[in-house]
Amino acid sequence: MAALQTMFAYVGIGVVAYYISLIITFVYDVFLRAGVDLKKFGAGKGAWAVVTGCTDGLGREAALELARKKFNLMLISRSAEKLEAMAAEVREMGVEARTIAVDFNNVSEEKWAQMAQELNAVRVGVLMNNVGVSYEYPMHVEEVSEQTIDALVELNMRAMVKMTRMVIGQMKERKCGLILNSGSFAALIPSPFLSVYSGTKGFVKYFSQSLAAEVAPFGVVVEHLQTYFVCSRMSKTRKPNFLIPLPKPYIKNVFSKIGVEGGSSEPYTSIPFFSHALMAFVAERLAPKQTAINYNRGLLGGLRKRALLKIQRQQAEASKSQ
Ligand SMILES: NC(=O)c1ccc[n+]([C@@H]2O[C@H](COP(=O)([O-])OP(=O)(O)OC[C@H]3O[C@@H](n4cnc5c(N)ncnc54)[C@H](OP(=O)(O)O)[C@@H]3O)[C@@H](O)[C@H]2O)c1
């Protein structure tokens, strides 16, 4: 009996010590540990940063932050007009800027080749594969339009792979480069009512992690950036709160925490923002996965109901005014 009690005591101490070590690592990562200095990737030394989907939301803030860090900017997005305004803003910050207008929904082979040529004419230190789309609102898979499904595949997956292949050669040759891929909590916890989006972000996660391990011996860093909600056009949230920051503070954290896991238990993954890291810590280490999925179904199902009510209201108002 005494031997059994001693064994249970040791197991208990082991479990408590394990959780204490997890909490210490979490606090250290989120509050104290500095990320890799961007100078390692050529900041202030003439290197270029390439950002896709850079005219709004997270991509716009990322481009501005990289300009503040003194990277020249290759700005890639859909609208030529917005890109020119963005380039002017970046040049004001004392760095060079070039633009490539492209609709990632529909890129010809000639356009891909032209983009590759433009990218390989400069020394690319950073590529941020940021462009992405989601659903208009959470819905059942059979309700998602063919057009949305094509966009999810083209923007969230194909563009990332094609852009990466364009720059990886020069980065490996120089043994220097950072590729940052925009992932989502939809790949941390499977997301009912966003199944296709969640699937594409699962692709982003596994592509990033596999590639990261493949190119690490060549001195190239690949990081999967796992983001919960941030205020943006895509998230349809304008007012920040504890869990949903504005893009600017969020992106500041991203670039000061390169190479730091934050709340993530996954390799080559960063969850740099405190409240997101805390959520991931609870979801990954404390809650059973099925409980987390059920929570997500409730959350996204609620958002779906609200979106449908809003559409009904708008339709009623429109028919009244006719
Ligand atoms: N915001 C969030 O809460 C959140 C959470 C998790 C993950 N993420 C990920 O973060 C990334 C950025 O999200 P965001 O919220 O910043 O998005 P956003 O505000 O909607 O901005 C998207 C950017 O992509 C560009 N873009 C859209 N469609 C394009 C196309 N067909 N071809 C070329 N460019 C196109 C947009 O340009 P235009 O201005 O011309 O449309 C805009 O610059 C995405 O990969 C998303 O999945 C976001």
Side-chain angles (χ1 to χ4, degrees):
M1 190 62 185
L4 207 61
Q5 274 179 340
T6 311
M7 193 185 82
F8 277 127
Y10 278 126
V11 171
I13 290 168
V15 170
V16 170
Y18 172 70
Y19 278 101
I20 289 176
S21 76
L22 285 185
I23 291 168
I24 291 173
T25 310
F26 174 83
V27 171
Y28 174 62
D29 263 20
V30 174
F31 295 109
L32 302 171
R33 200 168 139 205
V36 177
D37 192 331
L38 292 179
K39 285 193 186 116
K40 182 172 185 270
F41 307 111
K45 298 178 204 160
W48 288 70
V50 180
V51 183
T52 64
C54 62
T55 47
D56 214 336
L58 302 185
R60 176 180 157 76
E61 280 309 326
L64 294 174
E65 181 63 10
L66 288 161
R68 269 179 226 117
K69 299 282 180 197
K70 297 295 168 209
F71 281 99
N72 296 317
L73 258 297
M74 185 72 79
L75 301 163
I76 306 182
S77 215
R78 186 166 38 183
S79 142
E81 216 172 284
K82 286 189 199 172
L83 279 169
E84 278 319 312
M86 185 81 203
E89 198 174 339
V90 161
R91 287 185 193 115
E92 292 268 296
M93 297 163 81
V95 293
E96 284 184 59
R98 295 184 191 170
T99 63
I100 302 178
V102 61
D103 180 349
F104 281 113
N105 265 316
N106 185 13
V107 193
S108 65
E109 283 313 312
E110 293 72 38
K111 185 71 184 180
W112 284 122
Q114 182 210 330
M115 284 165 70
Q117 209 175 11
E118 293 200 38
L119 261 54
N120 282 304
V122 297
R123 182 156 53 89
V124 178
V126 177
L127 165 64
M128 181 164 180
N129 282 310
N130 167 75
V131 74
V133 277
S134 185
Y135 297 9
E136 194 48 36
Y137 59 88
M139 54 182 96
H140 291 283
V141 69
E142 69 276 17
E143 297 167 341
V144 186
S145 70
E146 290 292 325
Q147 201 185 8
T148 302
I149 290 182
D150 288 350
L152 284 157
V153 170
E154 293 300 321
L155 273 68
N156 298 11
M157 301 193 291
R158 190 160 189 250
M160 172 183 64
V161 176
K162 298 277 273 189
M163 295 300 301
T164 299
R165 278 163 53 85
M166 278 180 206
V167 301
I168 198 85
Q170 57 152 304
M171 286 182 172
K172 279 166 84 172
E173 217 169 274
R174 286 197 320 274
K175 286 193 171 297
C176 175
L178 167 67
I179 297 176
L180 196 56
N181 292 331
S182 262
S184 162
F185 267 41
L188 182 87
I189 306 166
S191 302
F193 303 115
L194 285 180
S195 58
V196 187
Y197 178 73
S198 186
T200 64
K201 292 300 179 180
F203 178 91
V204 172
K205 170 167 136 180
Y206 277 101
F207 172 71
S208 307
Q209 292 179 323
S210 309
L211 184 68
E214 183 182 313
V215 299
F218 297 88
V220 178
V221 176
V222 177
E223 188 159 286
H224 167 226
L225 173 64
Q226 203 153 33
T227 304
Y228 185 63
F229 287 113
V230 174
C231 296
S232 80
R233 201 174 52 184
M234 179 193 280
S235 69
K236 298 189 172 51
T237 310
R238 273 197 229 142
K239 260 185 148 180
N241 59 40
F242 177 68
L243 288 176
I244 309 180
L246 288 168
K248 190 170 179 176
Y250 179 74
I251 285 294
K252 277 217 171 291
N253 270 45
V254 170
F255 286 108
S256 63
K257 291 278 182 190
I258 295 296
V260 175
E261 287 83 6
S264 178
S265 65
E266 297 261 0
Y268 310 112
T269 296
S270 180
I271 305 182
F273 199 78
F274 165 67
S275 58
H276 293 187
L278 192 61
M279 281 188 77
F281 187 84
V282 173
E284 284 190 310
R285 322 242 193 189
L286 304 180
K289 192 120 187 178
Q290 187 63 56
T291 308
I293 293 174
N294 293 348
Y295 169 80
N296 240 3
R297 185 169 49 203
L299 176 79
L300 294 164
L303 291 179
R304 169 182 164 77
K305 270 190 199 141
R306 267 197 274 160
L308 288 174
L309 284 172
K310 191 174 170 194
I311 292 169
Q312 275 174 6
R313 263 201 318 274
Q314 283 168 342
Q315 282 171 344
E317 275 163 26
S319 65
K320 253 194 242 162
S321 62
Q322 272 171 7

CSV table of all heavy atoms in Angstrom, one decimal, residues 3-20:
chain,number,residue,atom,x,y,z
A,3,ALA,N,3.9,1.5,-1.0
A,3,ALA,CA,4.6,1.6,-2.2
A,3,ALA,C,3.7,2.2,-3.3
A,3,ALA,O,4.2,3.0,-4.1
A,3,ALA,CB,5.1,0.2,-2.7
A,4,LEU,N,2.5,1.8,-3.3
A,4,LEU,CA,1.5,2.3,-4.3
A,4,LEU,C,1.3,3.9,-4.1
A,4,LEU,O,1.3,4.6,-5.0
A,4,LEU,CB,0.2,1.6,-4.1
A,4,LEU,CG,-0.7,1.5,-5.3
A,4,LEU,CD1,0.0,0.8,-6.4
A,4,LEU,CD2,-2.1,0.8,-5.0
A,5,GLN,N,1.2,4.2,-2.8
A,5,GLN,CA,1.1,5.7,-2.5
A,5,GLN,C,2.3,6.5,-3.0
A,5,GLN,O,2.1,7.5,-3.6
A,5,GLN,CB,0.9,5.9,-1.0
A,5,GLN,CG,-0.5,5.7,-0.5
A,5,GLN,CD,-0.6,5.9,1.0
A,5,GLN,OE1,0.3,5.8,1.8
A,5,GLN,NE2,-1.8,6.1,1.5
A,6,THR,N,3.5,5.9,-2.7
A,6,THR,CA,4.7,6.6,-3.2
A,6,THR,C,4.7,6.7,-4.7
A,6,THR,O,5.0,7.8,-5.3
A,6,THR,CB,5.9,5.8,-2.7
A,6,THR,OG1,5.8,5.5,-1.4
A,6,THR,CG2,7.2,6.5,-3.0
A,7,MET,N,4.3,5.6,-5.4
A,7,MET,CA,4.2,5.7,-6.9
A,7,MET,C,3.3,6.8,-7.4
A,7,MET,O,3.6,7.6,-8.2
A,7,MET,CB,3.8,4.3,-7.4
A,7,MET,CG,4.1,4.2,-8.9
A,7,MET,SD,3.4,2.6,-9.5
A,7,MET,CE,1.7,3.0,-9.7
A,8,PHE,N,2.1,6.8,-6.7
A,8,PHE,CA,1.1,7.9,-7.2
A,8,PHE,C,1.7,9.3,-6.9
A,8,PHE,O,1.5,10.2,-7.7
A,8,PHE,CB,-0.2,7.7,-6.4
A,8,PHE,CG,-1.1,6.6,-7.1
A,8,PHE,CD1,-1.6,5.6,-6.4
A,8,PHE,CD2,-1.4,6.7,-8.5
A,8,PHE,CE1,-2.4,4.6,-7.0
A,8,PHE,CE2,-2.2,5.8,-9.1
A,8,PHE,CZ,-2.7,4.7,-8.4
A,9,ALA,N,2.4,9.4,-5.7
A,9,ALA,CA,2.9,10.7,-5.4
A,9,ALA,C,3.9,11.1,-6.5
A,9,ALA,O,3.9,12.3,-6.9
A,9,ALA,CB,3.6,10.6,-4.0
A,10,TYR,N,4.8,10.2,-6.9
A,10,TYR,CA,5.8,10.5,-7.9
A,10,TYR,C,5.1,10.9,-9.3
A,10,TYR,O,5.5,11.8,-9.9
A,10,TYR,CB,6.8,9.4,-8.1
A,10,TYR,CG,7.9,9.3,-7.1
A,10,TYR,CD1,8.1,8.2,-6.3
A,10,TYR,CD2,8.7,10.5,-6.9
A,10,TYR,CE1,9.1,8.2,-5.3
A,10,TYR,CE2,9.7,10.5,-5.9
A,10,TYR,CZ,9.9,9.3,-5.1
A,10,TYR,OH,10.9,9.4,-4.2
A,11,VAL,N,4.1,10.1,-9.6
A,11,VAL,CA,3.4,10.4,-10.9
A,11,VAL,C,2.8,11.8,-10.8
A,11,VAL,O,2.9,12.6,-11.7
A,11,VAL,CB,2.3,9.3,-11.2
A,11,VAL,CG1,1.4,9.8,-12.3
A,11,VAL,CG2,3.0,8.0,-11.5
A,12,GLY,N,2.2,12.1,-9.6
A,12,GLY,CA,1.5,13.4,-9.4
A,12,GLY,C,2.6,14.5,-9.5
A,12,GLY,O,2.3,15.5,-10.2
A,13,ILE,N,3.7,14.3,-8.9
A,13,ILE,CA,4.8,15.4,-9.0
A,13,ILE,C,5.2,15.5,-10.4
A,13,ILE,O,5.4,16.7,-10.9
A,13,ILE,CB,6.0,15.0,-8.0
A,13,ILE,CG1,5.5,15.1,-6.6
A,13,ILE,CG2,7.2,15.8,-8.3
A,13,ILE,CD1,6.5,14.4,-5.6
A,14,GLY,N,5.3,14.4,-11.1
A,14,GLY,CA,5.8,14.5,-12.5
A,14,GLY,C,4.8,15.3,-13.4
A,14,GLY,O,5.2,16.1,-14.2
A,15,VAL,N,3.5,15.0,-13.2
A,15,VAL,CA,2.5,15.7,-14.0
A,15,VAL,C,2.5,17.2,-13.6
A,15,VAL,O,2.5,18.1,-14.5
A,15,VAL,CB,1.1,15.1,-13.7
A,15,VAL,CG1,0.0,16.0,-14.3
A,15,VAL,CG2,1.0,13.7,-14.2
A,16,VAL,N,2.6,17.5,-12.3
A,16,VAL,CA,2.6,19.0,-11.9
A,16,VAL,C,3.8,19.6,-12.5
A,16,VAL,O,3.7,20.7,-13.1
A,16,VAL,CB,2.5,19.1,-10.4
A,16,VAL,CG1,2.8,20.5,-10.0
A,16,VAL,CG2,1.2,18.6,-9.9
A,17,ALA,N,5.0,18.9,-12.4
A,17,ALA,CA,6.2,19.5,-12.9
A,17,ALA,C,6.1,19.8,-14.4
A,17,ALA,O,6.6,20.8,-15.0
A,17,ALA,CB,7.4,18.6,-12.6
A,18,TYR,N,5.5,18.8,-15.2
A,18,TYR,CA,5.3,19.0,-16.6
A,18,TYR,C,4.5,20.2,-16.9
A,18,TYR,O,4.9,21.1,-17.8
A,18,TYR,CB,4.6,17.7,-17.2
A,18,TYR,CG,4.2,17.8,-18.6
A,18,TYR,CD1,5.2,17.8,-19.6
A,18,TYR,CD2,2.9,17.9,-19.0
A,18,TYR,CE1,4.8,17.9,-21.0
A,18,TYR,CE2,2.5,18.0,-20.3
A,18,TYR,CZ,3.5,18.0,-21.3
A,18,TYR,OH,3.1,18.2,-22.6
A,19,TYR,N,3.3,20.4,-16.2
A,19,TYR,CA,2.5,21.6,-16.5
A,19,TYR,C,3.2,22.9,-16.1
A,19,TYR,O,3.1,23.9,-16.8
A,19,TYR,CB,1.1,21.4,-15.9
A,19,TYR,CG,0.2,20.6,-16.8
A,19,TYR,CD1,0.0,19.2,-16.5
A,19,TYR,CD2,-0.3,21.1,-18.0
A,19,TYR,CE1,-0.8,18.4,-17.4
A,19,TYR,CE2,-1.1,20.3,-18.8
A,19,TYR,CZ,-1.3,19.0,-18.5
A,19,TYR,OH,-2.0,18.2,-19.4
A,20,ILE,N,3.9,22.8,-15.0
A,20,ILE,CA,4.7,24.0,-14.6
A,20,ILE,C,5.7,24.4,-15.7
A,20,ILE,O,5.8,25.6,-16.1
A,20,ILE,CB,5.3,23.9,-13.2
A,20,ILE,CG1,4.2,23.8,-12.1
A,20,ILE,CG2,6.3,25.0,-12.9
A,20,ILE,CD1,4.7,23.6,-10.7
